[in-house]
Amino acid sequence: MPIDEASQRLADVRARIVRAAKTAGRAADAVTLIAISKTHDAGTIAPLIAAGQRVFGENRVQEAEGKWPKLREATSGIALHLVGQLQSNKAEDAVALFDAIHSVDRPSLVQALARAMDKAGKRPACFLQVNIGDEEQKGGCAVAELPALLAEARAADLPVQGLMCVPPLDLEAAPYFALLAKIARDHGLGGLSMGMSGDFETAVTIGATHVRVGTALFGARA
């Protein structure tokens, strides 16, 4: 992707965030734009970094390990967020590489991350992933199980920043975002990781603090 195209795409997404925030009476700088760079190689990511984007999201630890150390060497100030499912046996690798983990969804992972953080002396921000549409194939803990998971995460001294969700495909996202926002408020959590390329403006109007945007920044995946 040429640098001018990357700059244009980034400017467009940022402008849309500003407009959505204004509609909701929110400050646009309360929203962190996470550029989802999964499946994209370093050569595709570099123009977006050159255009000024500094926060990126990856789905898999192994894929991120293959490209980000060099990219980070070349540019300071990059923050890396893990947005995909995390296996407990990859907890140490994830803690070493990422600044935030958005997919904490079960007690065994809470314990694995707590051990990894204690060992590394590093505590990436954590979001508990909620299966907001109660879908069998989706990751995330059930809404009913969230209080227990949150209690366990807090007891393990995980830095829980908020909640994350992926609403059901092909359904209006707003009710699911609103439900996540209500659950977060009820539990005293300020962070809301919700909204992707097709619905991030809706998410911003409902209170998203982190939006996860891939296609709108990188174009459709081949």
Side-chain angles (χ1 to χ4, degrees), residues 4 9 12 39-40 43 54 57 63 65 80 82 89 93 99 108 113 121 142-143 157 180 193 206 216:
D4 54 347
R9 285 178 180 272
D12 175 58
T39 77
H40 296 291
R54 290 292 177 271
E63 185 189 336
E65 284 173 334
L80 211 50
L82 179 66
N89 64 356
D93 296 334
D99 301 286
S108 59
L113 284 169
V143 172
D157 201 24
L180 193 77
S193 171
I206 293 171

Side-chain angles (χ1 to χ4, degrees), residues 13-14 16-18 20-21 26 28 30-36 53 55-57 81 83 102 127 163-165 177 191-214 216-217:
V13 170
R14 285 179 174 170
R16 289 164 66 187
I17 289 172
V18 168
R26 301 181 65 205
V31 183
T32 298
L33 170 61
I34 305 171
I36 302 300
Q53 178 63 18
V55 185
F56 291 85
H81 292 233
V83 299
H102 290 239
F127 291 79
L163 303 179
M164 182 268 244
C165 78
F177 293 156
L192 286 170
S193 171
M194 59 189 197
M196 299 189 282
S197 286
D199 54 23
F200 69 85
E201 288 147 302
T202 301
V204 170
T205 63
I206 293 171
T209 58
H210 296 71
V211 292
R212 311 181 304 269
V213 179
L217 291 171

Side-chain angles (χ1 to χ4, degrees), residues 110-111 128 145-157 160 187:
V110 165
Q111 296 307 324
L128 303 188
E145 290 166 9
L146 178 70
L149 185 67
L150 178 59
E152 185 152 353
R154 284 174 166 162
D157 201 24
V160 180
H187 292 286

